[in-house]
Amino acid sequence: MTAPPATAAISVEDRLRIEELYARYAACLDDARFEEWPDFFTDDCVYRVVPRENYDRNLPLATLSFESKGMLRDRVYAITETLFHEPYYQRHVVSGILVTAIGDGGYRVRANYVVVRTKTGSLSEVYSAGRYIDRVVDEAGMLLFAEKICVFDSELIPNSMIYPL
Amino acid sequence: MDTLPRPIELDWHPGACARVPYRIYTDAAIYERELDRFFYGGHWCYVGLAAEIPNPGDFKRSAVGERGVVVVRGRDGAINVVENRCAHRGVQFCQKPHGNAKTFVCPYHQWSYDLKGNLLGVPFRKGVRQGDRVNGGMPDDFELSSHGLTQLAVEVWNGVIFASFDRDVEPLRAFVGPEVGRYFERVFDGRELTILGYSRQRIPGNWKLMMENIKDPYHPGLLHTWFVTFGLWRADQRSEMIVDERGRHAAMVSRKNDGGRSDAVTSGVTSFKENMVLHDDRVLDVVVEPWWNGPTVTMLTLFPSLIVQQQVNSLSTRHIVPHGVGEFDFVWTHFGFADDTPEMTRRRLRQANLFGPAGYVSADDGEVIEFSQRGFAQEADGETVCELGGRGQGGADHNVTETLIRSMYGYYREVMEL
């Protein structure tokens, strides 16, 4: 069993800023404004989508594993220009935002997410359920993700994963 | 009730594999025969890698066709594969995906088995004494040895575990054959493997479509922008299509080139992106490994259940687990070698972005398989065309051909009697 997450003392104002970051992030993806997605990250960010199985067993493989904003831009190009796929809407429901530590490295944040996928002419379905394990930093007054690890519980990806979580 | 299998009605011109009827992807009776003749009889199926269960007692759940199995290393170090089904009441007794066990105990009535699947004991076998009498118990002729778990035939080839419900199946190396076996041993030469992790996806298409996908060298340079643009796989490369003598297994072998424009293979190809430049090209930081001996990519299909991928520095096994005629699970196990440097491990992990359910060259394979399956549903009597490189079967010294698919269906028709 994992230990319960610690919680950090945080001002109401900072907490609201962090909550707003998550709300804006979700809105960006749900609106399919993918070109704007890398702007939520620092230049040397880490973005990973990881099956819970690998995460729990300390296996390093990720479904997606990016180590710079440049790699995120390359992913956006793939989504929009190279990966042939059936388009779908995403709807992120993010909740339980918990700031677990504050320090020089920024805010450690975890949050739950559910992403509902809707394909053209199809019923909506739960596509991915999991948690974000993030590090958020303040760069010149802007909150950005320095790390975003999406650990998904869903044992099987329903066919493919094209868009970011 | 009559339990005879439903008759199969199929209009497939004798001997012709340049056409494949849609019905073999959609008909449940054909699928049932495939399970019996390919997954449960006469064939070796992949169940895992020995490196996943390094210690005595280590186990993992896996599957052969639709049947759940447990792959376990016994106390003697040998690997056993048993069906995950208690001999008593059919309970799937093992629910943990992996772990370590001294014995297997079914939770329902505590029947216990050793790691080979032999029944060790059952509660109240001799009955329960109450006063001067004994209640119940198993009949006197109840033999523990008659009620073990189903024990599959097992062979481990340089760290890769295969199992078969058919105890009379031919030896594994003979099953694979020397032509494709050579390429199998190029990747698995006995070096110790390191497990990097798993990806699992459920693809709504018939399982054979994935076998075909990796016997189809036609599509990679057309569907996959990354392959044609960066020269990882395309029609102007030196390639060989290798097939075993029965046509069921194959190796697609090729050498990367520098990509870029070439009128013969990029003209009019919409997926080719001449001006595409990566913002961060570490995903394609390819380093030649000495054991490649030339080819930069070898894609193996071991019929019916396994694909082995070496595409530049990325290595994986891909396990096909069918679920009914129209769906299968596709389980990727990425690995490296125990003597990899940390840089090489990192490189393998970066290049893994190309593969798996979200990969730059694999995500759309799952998508097109789904679209194929939907197309098949639209016309019951339709058929696919499979004529690139002629109508014959066998190997080829180039990749502008669908011969490996035709070869597979030559074998398929023989075994399926269709």
Side-chain angles (χ1 to χ4, degrees):
Chain A
M1 291 293 118
T2 26
T7 48
I10 183 171
S11 70
V12 171
E13 189 180 326
D14 286 349
R15 187 176 170 84
L16 287 174
R17 285 180 75 210
I18 288 170
E19 291 206 353
E20 194 201 342
L21 172 69
Y22 281 81
R24 284 192 292 114
Y25 181 88
C28 172
L29 294 181
D30 294 348
D31 295 349
R33 288 181 275 115
F34 297 121
E35 287 78 7
E36 298 173 27
W37 171 64
D39 296 332
F40 284 90
F41 293 84
T42 62
D43 288 343
D44 59 350
C45 64
V46 170
Y47 174 83
R48 306 176 73 219
V49 177
V50 187
R52 181 171 180 165
E53 167 182 35
N54 293 351
Y55 187 82
D56 286 351
R57 297 174 73 177
N58 290 317
L59 294 168
L61 183 75
T63 308
L64 287 171
S65 181
F66 302 136
E67 299 158 76
S68 68
K69 196 188 248 186
M71 285 191 191
L72 302 188
R73 295 208 185 285
D74 292 334
R75 183 67 187 182
V76 172
Y77 184 78
I79 292 167
T80 50
E81 299 292 334
T82 84
L83 276 172
F84 187 68
H85 66 279
E86 182 178 15
Y88 58 93
Y89 300 132
Q90 293 197 105
R91 183 64 51 198
H92 284 67
V93 180
V94 179
S95 77
I97 296 171
L98 203 54
V99 179
T100 58
I102 306 172
D104 291 345
Y107 303 95
R108 298 275 172 181
V109 186
R110 61 172 278 173
N112 292 336
Y113 75 81
V114 171
V115 175
V116 175
R117 178 174 77 172
T118 309
K119 291 181 167 187
T120 314
S122 296
L123 302 173
S124 298
E125 59 183 345
V126 173
Y127 175 63
S128 185
R131 70 196 131 139
Y132 295 127
I133 301 171
D134 299 344
R135 186 161 62 87
V136 175
V137 296
D138 190 326
E139 276 192 5
M142 276 275 286
L143 288 185
L144 299 173
F145 292 110
E147 283 179 38
K148 189 168 204 51
I149 317 293
C150 318
V151 180
F152 61 91
D153 298 338
S154 318
E155 282 276 306
L156 291 157
I157 290 175
N159 201 351
S160 60
M161 182 175 285
I162 309 294
Y163 309 140
L165 295 176
Chain B
M1 285 291 287
D2 186 359
T3 55
L4 284 173
R6 279 183 290 134
I8 294 169
E9 285 170 28
L10 191 65
D11 180 19
W12 199 349
H13 189 270
C17 294
R19 294 282 191 281
V20 179
Y22 288 178
R23 214 174 276 275
I24 69 161
Y25 306 101
T26 58
D27 186 303
I30 291 176
Y31 172 70
E32 282 164 27
R33 191 182 287 183
E34 291 171 354
L35 284 178
D36 285 342
R37 297 190 181 181
F38 298 132
F39 289 93
Y40 305 146
H43 292 69
W44 287 100
C45 288
Y46 172 82
V47 290
L49 296 171
E52 295 176 270
I53 47 169
N55 303 308
D58 284 353
F59 68 84
K60 64 163 275 190
R61 289 178 63 180
S62 186
V64 172
E66 293 193 351
R67 296 168 79 163
V69 299
V70 183
V71 185
V72 58
R73 191 180 289 272
R75 290 184 198 174
D76 56 359
I79 290 172
N80 311 309
V81 180
V82 295
E83 189 170 15
N84 190 4
R85 181 170 61 83
C86 181
H88 180 213
R89 303 293 291 274
V91 167
Q92 214 176 47
F93 57 89
C94 181
Q95 290 300 315
K96 286 172 71 176
H98 60 92
N100 187 280
K102 290 190 166 57
T103 56
F104 294 125
V105 180
C106 178
Y108 202 1
H109 304 90
Q110 302 269 310
W111 283 35
S112 64
Y113 303 89
D114 70 16
L115 299 182
K116 292 185 193 308
N118 300 309
L119 183 61
L120 295 173
V122 306
F124 316 141
R125 182 180 173 194
K126 302 290 185 199
V128 174
R129 179 167 295 281
Q130 186 181 47
D132 55 358
R133 57 183 206 161
V134 174
N135 295 331
M138 289 296 186
D140 290 340
D141 61 357
F142 181 86
E143 294 282 355
L144 292 178
S145 61
S146 307
H147 299 280
L149 301 172
T150 308
Q151 301 175 12
L152 284 75
V154 179
E155 279 208 40
V156 183
W157 188 358
N158 289 346
V160 187
I161 312 166
F162 294 84
S164 180
F165 279 100
D166 183 350
R167 308 287 304 191
D168 298 323
V169 65
E170 65 188 307
L172 176 62
R173 281 169 179 75
F175 169 76
V176 173
E179 304 88 352
V180 177
R182 197 178 129 225
Y183 286 94
F184 182 89
E185 289 194 320
R186 177 175 167 278
V187 175
F188 301 109
D189 66 355
R191 288 169 287 183
E192 194 182 330
L193 306 182
T194 305
I195 306 298
L196 298 180
Y198 304 95
S199 273
R200 299 172 195 271
Q201 58 188 133
R202 179 160 290 176
I203 299 179
N206 181 268
W207 67 274
K208 296 187 295 298
L209 292 169
M210 187 51 85
M211 273 280 140
E212 291 180 25
N213 184 266
I214 308 297
K215 291 176 186 285
D216 165 12
Y218 189 14
H219 84 277
L222 298 169
L223 174 64
H224 304 311
T225 293
W226 283 58
F227 276 173
V228 63
T229 304
F230 301 123
L232 291 169
W233 185 286
R234 48 192 244 173
D236 56 356
Q237 290 170 351
R238 273 202 301 140
S239 309
E240 294 111 82
M241 300 298 113
I242 315 280
V243 65
D244 74 310
E245 67 174 0
R246 302 197 64 186
R248 53 193 174 185
H249 315 302
M252 303 201 301
V253 179
S254 193
R255 291 154 188 80
K256 73 189 283 288
N257 62 18
D258 293 333
R261 179 138 64 125
S262 154
D263 285 344
V265 301
T266 63
S267 177
V269 174
T270 58
S271 55
F272 175 66
K273 306 289 182 191
E274 186 171 5
N275 299 318
M276 178 176 174
V277 178
L278 295 176
H279 292 88
D280 187 333
D281 62 5
R282 286 178 291 173
V283 172
L284 289 179
D285 167 33
V286 174
V287 167
V288 174
E289 300 179 59
W291 58 271
W292 292 359
N293 292 321
T296 61
V297 47
T298 55
M299 299 296 302
L300 273 55
T301 37
L302 296 191
F303 191 83
S305 68
L306 176 64
I307 290 156
V308 180
Q309 165 218 327
Q310 179 245 323
Q311 171 56 281
V312 287
N313 302 112
S314 177
L315 300 158
S316 71
T317 61
R318 309 178 185 174
H319 184 188
I320 294 172
V321 182
H323 288 291
V325 68
E327 198 163 75
F328 65 97
D329 288 355
F330 203 38
V331 181
W332 304 61
T333 305
H334 284 252
F335 61 90
F337 302 111
D339 61 358
D340 285 344
T341 61
E343 292 73 27
M344 181 55 81
T345 300
R346 178 166 286 263
R347 182 176 293 114
R348 297 196 200 290
L349 291 166
R350 280 195 185 119
Q351 290 178 18
N353 283 305
L354 273 69
F355 305 101
Y360 288 126
V361 299
S362 296
D364 34 14
D365 283 329
E367 292 283 299
V368 294
I369 285 175
E370 181 172 354
F371 307 153
S372 290
Q373 192 73 18
R374 284 195 214 153
F376 300 153
Q378 290 179 199
E379 171 53 60
D381 295 323
E383 54 186 20
T384 69
V385 177
C386 194
E387 296 196 349
L388 191 73
R391 299 191 181 93
Q393 300 173 25
D397 59 2
H398 59 84
N399 68 22
V400 195
T401 179
E402 292 172 312
T403 184
L404 298 179
I405 299 175
R406 290 190 293 271
S407 300
M408 178 177 87
Y409 283 113
Y411 174 74
Y412 177 94
R413 297 190 66 172
E414 179 190 323
V415 175
M416 290 287 287
E417 299 174 273
L418 291 175

